[in-house]
Each structure stands twice: as structure tokens, then as C-alpha cells.
Amino acid sequence: MIFCEDDLQEEQEAHPLHGDLLDAVISHVPLIHLVPASYVSKTWRCAVSSCIHNPSRTKPWLIIHAQSPWNPSTILTRAYDPSSHVWIEITGPTTTTYSSPLRSSHSNALYLLTPSKFSFSSDPLHDTWQNVVGPHVWRTDPIVAVVGSYVVVAGGTYEFEDDPLAVEIYDMASPGWSTCQPMPIILKNSAATTWLSVAVSDQKMYLLDKNSGIFCSFDPNTKIWSGIGGTFDLRPNPSIYFSVIGFSGHRLILVGLMGDAENAESLRLWEVNCDNFECEEIGKMPWGMFQRLKNENSMLLSIDISAAENFVYMYNSSEPKEIFFCEFNGGNCEWGSVRNSFLTDQDRMDRFIFTCSKVGLDDLRKAFWLGNRKFKVEFAEK
């Protein structure tokens, strides 16, 4: 947007806070408060626009949804904004009713599933939901992934279903369910999100067996799986005993725990080449941080991750009292952590569901200033 010099001069006389001083002030305002700031004047709108084009101000948020086991409709949402270093408590209704367990298979999609209904959301703050008829096969713990215009639902079938590897896709462009080639037979005993890690690109869904390293991919356009007849082993180091995957921007990242559950030695990161599946080690969690993740009083059986843009968040999903993250800055890994100050003893009975997305001004405007949701901000404890 272009403004004439006379307009800017007139605004500067009316609002003495302008130029470098205004830019400096705006740079310290948490992202969630920039929407009302953009309405102050044209000059402020320009300053806000300039600020949010700085990559350091729009780092992806980690969003934690805590669902009560006694009342599924009771959900408290908390978001961490790393660029402003604040926790944001989000309340208020969305466009769906949480009548069943809320779930997520990968970093940015939420879903609800009953025998007759399937609801899913993939926008950053999950303000928009689509409600459709449920898939043909009844499932209790499926892999669910949004890939382009398709929603893939695989495995996780109810114990009395005939095919535990059944795959269906829902086409949002031409609404309706269709049956696809089943999952690779080698995944028969692990065809559920309990055992599989999921990563999604613009065109494919990738699955990794967390314990064995068995790896394959699915293309919803062709409805075909790769790796059948010789599933790839994605273990670049034989010392890996547990691993998960996620997309950080356009990079497929493998996060692995080294050693064994009773004596975890380290946590390392690899970048996976999606053409030949070769792995290049790109980072290792600092020792002191790893000890806090490990929790010396118990075994480190597993971890979970959420990834987006140039961030990978790592945590213990059953008790996320501290969140660890790695930011990829050029060729370097910059590590950090934040305490979840909202977690209380009462919350420890809740189910925690994680998503991760880049959040923009339009997302905030839609959720809080044009919608009826509310927020409360608290600066994070390091």
C-alpha cells in the first residue's frame, strides 16, 4: 500500500510517535497485540506491516489443547509465541462441538471422529472446522493427515474390522470418501498413531515406525504407497532406539533418541533427503537440556515433536511442563526451552494435544477481533 508524502506528514504531526522510534516500539509489541495497533493510523499500519515481514517476528506457535477426560467439551487452549516469548490462553467457542476425544496425528491438523461423523481443522488457530460423514471403516486410533485437498485416514481400525491396514481418503475438492491401496503389510502390527510418526508435505504423507525405523510414504493423488516389497529402514545410526519425523518448512527432519530407554544417551536431528532418503546429521540437543528432558527419575521411553517453518518443538506429551525447541538459522541449530507455566496439578489428568503453525495477522484478526474468542497473555518463564 502506498501513501502520499502529504498524508504521512499530516499523520506525523498528529501522532508524534513515528519513524525509527515507532518501529522500535512496534518491534517490542507481542504479535497478538499488533492487530489493534494496525488500526491506529496509516503510519502505524505501515510500521506493523514492516514488522511482521521480519522472520524473527513470525516464528511458528506451539498450541497445546488440554481436554478433560471427564467432560470432552471442556478444552483449554494455550499457545506459545516464541518471537514474543509469551504464553496465550485462548478461550471461547469455535465452529464445532468437542463431543469426543480431540486428536492430532501430525503438526497442524486436529480431528474428531465418531462412528457417524468426522470433523477436522487445519487452519493455524483451528477456528474453522469441516464436518462430514464418517469414513466407511470404524477406527479408534487412525493416522489422519491433510495432504493438499485430501484428508487421508489410515489404519487404527476397531478390533473387529476385517482389515487393520484399511485406507480411505476424503477429497475436499470433490466431497466424498474413496478406498485406497492398504498400508504396507509390514505395518500390520503397528498401524496406529500410537506406534507411527506422521509427517506431511504438499503432496505426500510419510510414516515412520517409532521403534523399528520402518519408513514409507503415501501419495493421495495416485492412491499408492511406496516401499511395498522392501520398506525403507530410516535409521542412520544403529544406536537409535526411538525416532519421530516432521516437516520443518520443506525439510523432512528425523529426531532420534540414542542408547536405550533405561540409559538414554542423547537426542539428535537429521535432515532426510526425500528423493533417496539419505540422512545428514544437523544437530544434537545440549547435554544439560537433554538431562531435563530425560528426567533422571524415570526411563525416557519416547518423545513427541511438532514442527513448522524453521522450528521443531520437542516434549513429553503426557506431562509437558517444559517445552524444548530447535530453531534452524542458516546452517546452525539454535536450542532453547520454555516452561509451561499454565500446567497445574489438576491439569495433569487432562489429555494434551499439540499442533504447530505459523500464525499471521489475518488469523488473529479472524479469531479474536472479528470472532468471539478471547485471549489472556502471560510472559513465559525460561
Side-chain angles (χ1 to χ4, degrees), residues 134-155:
H136 303 301
V137 177
W138 172 227
R139 307 164 189 268
T140 56
D141 186 26
I143 293 93
V144 175
V146 179
V147 186
S149 64
Y150 297 101
V151 181
V152 182
V153 181

Side-chain angles (χ1 to χ4, degrees), residues 48 50 72 111 131 142 144 157 163 216 265 275 313 337 345:
V48 169
S50 176
Y111 73 92
N131 303 302
V144 175
T157 60
D163 186 2
C216 59
E265 299 172 356
D275 294 325
Y313 291 96
S337 68
D345 290 337

